[in-house]
Every structure is written in C-alpha cells, then in structure tokens.
Amino acid sequence: MTVGDAICFELAYDDTIYDVITGGAQLFLVQSNNATYVGTGQVAQQFAITRTRAMETRREIAVATTNGVSGFIGRDGRVQWRSRERTAASTVVTMPLRTDITPAVRIAPWLERGLALIALGGCLTAMIGRGSTSRSRTAGS
C-alpha cells in the first residue's frame, strides 16, 4: 500500500498533488498545523481546497490537524466527518485503496503547459506588432 501525504500549503500546488497521485498513492492524507491562522478564513479555505482535491483526484482524503479542522472527505467532495476548529476530536474511518488516475490529473499538466505556450505566443505577437508599429511611425516622420 502506498500512502500519499501532503502538508497543508502543498494543496495549492497542482504539481505536488499530481506527483502524489501518479506516484502510486492509494490513500491520500493531509497534515496541517493551522495555529497561525486560527480565527481567520485560511482554515476554511484550506479545507475547501482539500474538498476540491478529493473531487479532482477521486480519492478520499483524511485531514489531520493539531488545532485547525480535521476531517474525512469523500471522493465526491462531501464532508463525511469534520471536527470543529480548535477542538480535540477523533474518529475511525475506512479508506478504500484507489489506483485509478483521473483525466483531470492525467491531462491537467499538459493543459497548463499548452495554455502557457498560448499566452507566451500572445505576448510575443503583441511585442512584435508593437515593434513594427513603432518602426512605421518613425519611418513616416
């Protein structure tokens, strides 16, 4: 069995999550210490990102925090168990082993690269177009 582990801030980085899943993770866990962010929107935001990652990867995710919000999120993004912020709590869940890699995880890196190339092409086109406009104005003066 291969366990995929992410630290709270890593949830924001697509490549890290994709590497965990394509690296063979059958279980997906997220650890966090949100001491600095208690009482802010950061704790809820991180939990929401985790829910999105569960849907994207089609993996259940167990979240373990020292003082934030711990929980268990189903592969459809539904919260199946959740602690309150700054509340000691525990539970036992059964996590199935998953091996499938979703199209989102498989295609997203290539889609990101393609969009970056399109943006780069647009910038280059704009710069070349601007340069030729400047030269034609100078020639016409």
Side-chain angles (χ1 to χ4, degrees):
M1 168 180 51
T2 304
V3 177
D5 182 34
I7 300 170
C8 56
F9 68 89
E10 292 176 326
L11 288 168
Y13 299 102
D14 294 337
D15 290 344
T16 302
I17 302 307
Y18 301 156
D19 287 348
V20 167
I21 299 303
T22 59
Q26 297 167 296
L27 295 177
F28 196 0
L29 309 173
V30 174
Q31 303 173 58
S32 181
N33 174 358
N34 285 326
T36 308
Y37 304 107
V38 170
T40 70
Q42 173 66 27
V43 176
Q45 180 185 36
Q46 181 184 318
F47 203 79
I49 292 170
T50 307
R51 292 181 63 202
T52 302
R53 294 299 187 184
M55 290 182 277
E56 178 182 32
T57 63
R58 300 297 290 162
R59 298 268 197 296
E60 292 79 4
I61 300 178
V63 180
T65 65
T66 54
N67 54 11
V69 174
S70 297
F72 182 68
I73 301 167
R75 61 189 269 164
D76 60 358
R78 288 189 221 173
V79 177
Q80 297 182 7
W81 178 82
R82 178 183 172 140
S83 71
R84 294 181 50 185
E85 193 172 324
R86 298 189 69 187
T87 303
S90 66
T91 190
V92 175
V93 296
T94 301
M95 293 183 72
L97 301 178
R98 306 270 184 212
T99 57
D100 293 342
I101 297 176
T102 63
V105 171
R106 200 175 297 283
I107 295 169
W110 296 103
L111 182 61
E112 291 170 5
R113 290 178 190 115
L115 290 173
L117 284 173
I118 290 169
L120 179 62
C123 290
L124 290 173
T125 301
M127 287 177 16
I128 291 168
R130 186 172 188 209
S132 64
T133 302
S134 296
R135 277 186 245 117
S136 64
R137 282 187 191 161
T138 305
S141 296

